[in-house]
Amino acid sequence: MFAGFQTFECKQGKKFELVMLWNSTILPELAKQSGCVGGLLLVDPESNKCMGIELWDDDVAASSFDTNGSFRKLAEKLTPVVVALPERKQLHVMAQNLAKP
């Protein structure tokens, strides 16, 4: 399993809009991506710092999300609520304990 992650800062007063946008736009688009297992949005309640995470079946699926332009298209949808567009990094998931539905 592989993970893509991004750290970014939400604009002041835009956390609610970020969460709504993530749930209505980002997660449904991730669900359409071949090999995507799911996505998460983490928000620090004490600041405007956030982290987005996608989980992938394999390296090929995770890498193609970046190389085919899909990540950039989704990141641009965050423009109204983030200080700057996130940059994506990809890591190999070496340990996990995720419940399967």
Side-chain angles (χ1 to χ4, degrees):
M1 183 176 281
F2 283 77
F5 77 96
Q6 315 83 47
T7 56
F8 53 94
E9 186 174 346
C10 183
K11 290 179 181 176
Q12 188 67 32
K14 297 288 186 177
K15 282 184 197 171
F16 179 76
E17 288 178 47
L18 170 64
V19 173
M20 297 302 291
L21 182 63
W22 198 272
N23 285 328
S24 67
T25 304
I26 305 300
L27 291 178
E29 286 298 319
L30 280 177
K32 295 177 187 176
Q33 301 295 316
S34 178
C36 186
V37 178
L40 302 164
L41 172 64
L42 307 175
V43 180
D44 180 353
E46 302 297 320
S47 72
N48 291 326
K49 303 291 184 194
C50 304
M51 180 180 284
I53 301 170
E54 332 97 42
L55 297 172
W56 302 89
D57 285 328
D58 56 55
D59 184 34
V60 173
S63 295
S64 73
F65 180 63
D66 226 351
T67 59
N68 71 15
S70 295
F71 168 72
R72 184 57 43 200
K73 285 180 189 175
L74 281 182
E76 288 171 355
K77 293 179 185 278
L78 298 174
T79 301
V81 295
V82 297
V83 173
L85 290 180
E87 294 294 322
R88 183 176 183 270
K89 299 204 183 286
Q90 187 170 304
L91 300 173
H92 192 171
V93 176
M94 301 301 289
Q96 60 145 332
N97 185 15
L98 300 174
K100 293 189 178 191

